[in-house]
Amino acid sequence: MIKAITALAFDFGTRRIGLAVGNSITGSSQALAPITADQDDVRFALIAAQIKEWAPDQLVVGLPCHPDGAEHAMTVKARRFGNQLHGRFSLPIAWVDERYTSAVLESDPSFKKSQVSKKDGGLDSESARLILEQYFLERLSSK
């Protein structure tokens, strides 16, 4: 039997960090307001508030790669961010391939019609939502 967990997912970016929360029982998630602070101390204070509110068992970080799977500069930054999360909050980190999350969202007609915009960070949090749902799918299929 798979233990039910609450997870908080991140779509790391240098300007915004998308954020989503979900529960493994339903395998679904919801996008939260993105983190748009420029300074790391402010970003991590906002993340700490989300961790306090949602009390996650697991943190999930999207890992960006080139289409062929090769790593690039943002891959290194996302790994560093995930390692910082682990160091600051002592929660386990799971990595999820996020290569196509933005493309999937941008091609989804219902997403295009929604009020969520790339400018306000909505795309980032919706990407975090997809990353989290992918994590739940992978977790379920590995058991």
Side-chain angles (χ1 to χ4, degrees):
M1 186 168 149
I2 298 173
K3 179 184 178 253
I5 64 163
T6 298
L8 203 55
F10 301 87
D11 178 29
F12 177 77
T14 55
R15 289 183 290 209
R16 290 178 303 274
I17 300 171
L19 196 58
V21 65
N23 185 291
S24 64
I25 291 174
T26 62
S28 63
S29 60
Q30 68 180 37
L32 301 173
I35 294 170
T36 58
D38 292 336
Q39 299 161 326
D40 279 347
D41 57 338
V42 177
R43 283 179 162 194
F44 283 108
L46 292 169
I47 291 168
Q50 293 293 330
I51 288 173
K52 183 177 180 182
E53 179 177 348
W54 295 103
D57 305 291
Q58 176 76 55
L59 302 180
V60 178
V61 178
L63 201 57
C65 297
H66 287 294
D68 66 358
E71 296 189 1
H72 52 74
M74 281 306 291
T75 313
V76 173
K77 290 178 182 182
R79 278 192 201 280
R80 181 173 179 256
F81 172 72
N83 290 335
Q84 288 175 316
L85 288 173
H86 178 69
R88 287 174 184 251
F89 303 110
S90 300
L91 289 167
I93 303 295
W95 306 98
V96 172
D97 181 344
E98 68 160 51
R99 278 181 268 185
Y100 301 108
T101 54
S102 295
V104 167
L105 288 171
E106 289 173 341
S107 67
D108 181 345
S110 63
F111 180 77
K112 284 183 178 181
K113 291 179 187 174
S114 75
Q115 298 297 341
V116 177
S117 76
K118 189 172 185 173
K119 184 179 177 184
D120 68 10
L123 179 63
D124 302 297
S125 287
E126 286 297 319
S127 291
R129 182 184 62 78
L130 287 181
I131 288 165
L132 188 50
E133 289 179 6
Q134 181 63 36
Y135 167 74
F136 288 142
L137 285 171
E138 290 173 3
R139 186 172 183 266
L140 184 61
S141 67
S142 71
K143 299 292 178 188

